Amino acid sequence: METKELLKKVKKIEIKTRRLSDHIFSGEYHTSFKGRGMTFSEVRPYQYGDDIRAIDWNVTARYNEAHIKVFEEERELTMMLMVDISGSESFGSKNQFKKDVVTEIAATLAFSATQNNDKIGLILFSDQIELYIPPKKGRSHVLRIIRELIEFEPKSHQTDVANALKFLSGTQKKKAIVFIISDFISDEYEQTLKIASKKHDVTGIRVYDIREEKLPNLGIVNMLDAESGKVQLINTSSKTVRENYEKYYHEKVKYFKETFSKSGSGVVSTRVDESYVTKLLGYFKSR
């Protein structure tokens, strides 16, 4: 992609997602994800209704008037965006590919974190770690993340969520807010998710397309597996073939929901042609 075209795309995403984070998500994000604890702010005169346990007896004795210690929530947090960039993310039957929606969601979350002065890091993964950007603050850092989400070309087209979670646990020693954005057409990540969820506040955001839910009856067609690169002749007019595909797909979705639920992690599912804004806002408010 040419630099001029890339910058134009980055700017377009920034304008859209920053507006969302400024006016919709920043307050909900702040409320949903708490800081590490309370930090001392100031001492002020006691007022009616204040908690007497907060009285600073040394200052009270010095001024012969009751004073209390005021504490604030220590807000600075770290957000880690874990984004699946495997081959299946380049699918889309409507106006957008899954990866386009994934990029917008990641950018919106990043700007929401920036509003709260939090650090943001990025892990791009397939069945390997494709790119790691350590957590930092600031608009220019978020713009770099958006650029990578738009133009990064993965070495592999396959997916391994478990491997990405292992990398997270190995690099993030302090508690972080973690968003895993993927279609979760993967399995065998239950154990690694359980380990990561004990330390971090984890949410899985599943982005999917309506055409992935069931096979249409189109007769015999060539189908490409975006992750393996294999092309196969599929008889979509066969009811058994269609039912087996639908069963396989729903098993993956069930595994995603149950695995995240068992580990105490949050789940959000949004279809490419739905409003991810509504889904995220509903999730934040329900926490």
Side-chain angles (χ1 to χ4, degrees), residues 46 51-58 60 66-69:
Y46 177 86
D51 188 343
I52 60 170
R53 291 173 296 183
I55 290 177
D56 185 323
W57 294 107
N58 289 331
T60 296
H67 281 69
I68 65 161
K69 291 179 180 177

Side-chain angles (χ1 to χ4, degrees), residues 29-41 70-77 116:
Y29 169 87
H30 182 100
T31 305
S32 299
F33 301 102
K34 303 296 184 184
R36 286 192 289 267
M38 305 301 284
T39 183
F40 175 73
S41 175
V70 179
F71 293 85
E72 291 180 343
E73 182 188 353
E74 189 181 355
R75 265 303 312 168
E76 186 179 297
L77 299 168
N116 286 278

Side-chain angles (χ1 to χ4, degrees), residues 13 17 98-108 146 149-150:
I13 290 172
T17 58
K98 286 189 284 183
K99 67 179 182 181
D100 298 329
V101 177
V102 165
T103 297
E104 286 191 15
I105 291 173
T108 303
I146 296 171
L149 286 165
I150 292 171

Side-chain angles (χ1 to χ4, degrees), residues 42-48 50 59 65-68 70:
E42 62 175 338
V43 174
R44 63 162 173 79
Y46 177 86
Q47 296 173 2
Y48 178 76
D50 286 337
V59 176
E65 179 187 359
H67 281 69
I68 65 161
V70 179

Side-chain angles (χ1 to χ4, degrees), residues 190-218:
E190 183 175 358
Q191 192 57 38
T192 48
L193 178 62
K194 194 180 291 182
I195 293 167
S197 296
K198 284 180 180 177
K199 185 189 291 184
H200 306 295
D201 188 333
V202 181
T203 300
I205 302 178
R206 185 174 74 93
V207 179
Y208 66 102
D209 189 279
I210 192 170
R211 290 297 183 196
E212 293 176 309
E213 295 183 277
K214 55 178 69 178
L215 284 177
N217 185 348
L218 299 171

